Amino acid sequence: MLDSVVVIIPAFNEAESIGSIVRENVAFGYSTVVVDDCSTDSTFVVAREAGAEVIQLPCRSGAWAAIQAGMLYAYRKKKYDLFVTMDADGQHQPQFISLLLENYDRLGVNVIIGSCIQRGSLARRLVWHVFYLLTRLKIRDMTSGFKLYDRQAVEILLSPKAVLFDYQDLGPLLLLRRHGCKFYETSMHMPPRQNGRSRIFNSWLSVFVYLFKTFIWVLSDWLSKPEDSTKSRSGYDSI
């Protein structure tokens, strides 16, 4: 089964942490693709030497565009059925990829979301609560980038409808729900990031910019009709 799993890691100036993450993924037997989002440090070299296939983007594109680039690269190889996305800052631990896989095998849903609601700052918890109410997605950790997607979900996320998202969280999930995809959220431990800081939660101004941009996608979702008649099912593995 591991031959059909690929791990995609968007990275911007993560030379301090990316090497150990890739080495651990490789030790577990996971093919790993790092998408270097035009870093100014040695992220590309460190990731490649650790055993990852590395894509180097020509200009800074953001996490979602980097994830899409990694998905497209892996999808075109036609040998992967499951696509795991994880951060390069050390919060998402390779040892828990097996938990995502176990839940996928058990439930047969399209997307498994690894969550850790304890990591939420006041700003993060505010965002989670607002969008929990607005979207009706039964997901608590709205901003987690630790996800497993099946091939059907990736095909949707590589469609033209997914190219305009600024972030990798709510917009893609709302698009998947409109296509009838099913989600499940499972809890796991996430340590503090090893270096850097959150792009979204580094200031209240960033939080409000994120809220404004994401609300546009929520409003669009309200006004859109489902792509098919299949209703999505969401679940949460309580802590």
Side-chain angles (χ1 to χ4, degrees):
M1 179 179 178
L2 294 185
D3 290 341
S4 67
V5 179
V6 60
V7 180
I8 298 164
I9 309 175
F12 174 70
N13 289 347
E14 299 285 3
E16 293 183 23
S17 56
I18 192 65
S20 60
I21 295 169
V22 171
R23 282 190 292 272
E24 195 170 348
N25 277 336
V26 172
F28 279 118
Y30 303 124
S31 298
T32 303
V33 175
V34 172
V35 185
D36 179 12
D37 193 14
C38 203
S39 297
T40 57
D41 66 1
S42 57
T43 293
F44 178 90
V45 174
V46 173
R48 184 175 59 185
E49 290 180 349
E53 294 184 78
V54 186
I55 303 169
Q56 193 168 38
L57 300 183
C59 60
R60 182 78 193 279
S61 303
W64 175 241
I67 288 172
Q68 280 191 305
M71 284 180 171
L72 182 60
Y73 175 81
Y75 181 84
R76 284 179 170 174
K77 290 198 166 190
K78 297 182 179 179
K79 66 177 183 178
Y80 300 119
D81 296 316
L82 299 175
F83 303 73
V84 175
T85 61
M86 64 187 303
D87 293 348
D89 57 16
Q91 288 193 90
H92 302 156
Q93 299 180 298
Q95 70 190 70
F96 290 119
I97 293 175
S98 62
L99 181 59
L100 301 180
L101 294 171
E102 289 168 11
N103 277 284
Y104 176 80
D105 288 340
R106 180 171 62 90
L107 297 166
V109 296
N110 303 100
V111 183
I112 304 291
I113 303 165
S115 74
C116 180
I117 58 175
Q118 295 94 331
R119 70 191 175 101
S121 62
L122 176 60
R124 193 184 294 266
R125 288 174 184 269
L126 171 63
V127 168
W128 288 346
H129 184 67
V130 168
F131 288 120
Y132 181 82
L133 296 175
L134 291 177
T135 65
R136 303 179 303 281
L137 286 169
K138 299 297 189 293
I139 297 169
R140 295 292 182 182
D141 190 342
M142 290 283 186
T143 56
S144 174
F146 200 11
K147 298 185 179 78
L148 179 150
Y149 302 94
D150 68 6
R151 198 168 178 86
Q152 177 186 342
V154 167
E155 288 173 353
I156 296 167
L157 294 178
L158 291 176
S159 70
K161 294 179 181 180
V163 299
L164 295 178
F165 298 132
D166 281 330
Y167 307 99
Q168 53 80 31
D169 40 40
L170 274 183
L173 289 178
L174 292 172
L175 175 63
L176 291 171
R177 182 173 67 177
R178 288 202 301 275
H179 281 265
C181 287
K182 302 172 183 179
F183 314 126
Y184 188 78
E185 183 178 23
T186 187
S187 60
M188 59 184 60
H189 173 67
M190 292 184 188
R193 62 176 62 232
Q194 294 180 18
N195 59 282
R197 59 181 183 173
S198 171
R199 172 191 171 195
I200 300 172
F201 300 104
N202 55 49
S203 71
W204 282 105
L205 176 60
S206 297
V207 171
F208 286 119
V209 169
Y210 171 79
L211 284 168
F212 175 76
K213 288 183 176 181
T214 306
F215 182 73
I216 293 174
W217 297 116
V218 174
L219 181 61
S220 174
D221 183 68
W222 287 350
L223 299 175
S224 300
K225 295 181 180 179
E227 298 291 336
D228 58 43
S229 59
T230 305
K231 295 183 179 179
S232 73
R233 175 168 59 89
S234 301
Y236 184 69
D237 181 7
S238 299
I239 297 172

